Amino acid sequence: MLLPWQEIDPETLDNLIESFVLREGTDYGEQERSLSAKVADVKRQLQSGEAVLVWSELHETVNIMPRGQFRG
């Protein structure tokens, strides 16, 4: 189920994004990026619609994924 990011408390949204960024362990190549820069990137992707917040009833978790990968 999609969760509208606009309806999430801003502090909670920041915490969700930070948790997502920390668990992804993405390699950014030679130039490492700061946590705040990574969080800002994900927030921009949510705002532009490139990424979505997804609630899993089965696992009772929230995840962030590219819109094209969400199969609702």
Side-chain angles (χ1 to χ4, degrees), residues 49-50 52 65-71:
E50 294 173 61
V52 292
M65 62 177 45
R67 181 174 290 284
Q69 287 184 5
F70 175 70
R71 293 180 184 92

Side-chain angles (χ1 to χ4, degrees), residues 3-23 34-47 53 62-64:
L3 294 175
W5 64 267
Q6 304 91 331
E7 295 180 14
I8 307 291
D9 176 77
E11 185 176 345
T12 302
L13 181 62
D14 286 344
N15 290 335
L16 284 170
I17 295 171
E18 187 173 310
S19 173
F20 170 77
V21 168
L22 290 172
R23 78 173 174 256
S34 70
L35 177 60
S36 60
K38 294 174 189 177
V39 168
D41 287 346
V42 173
K43 190 177 278 192
R44 275 193 297 277
Q45 291 171 6
L46 286 170
Q47 291 168 341
L53 283 178
V62 175
N63 197 11
I64 300 171

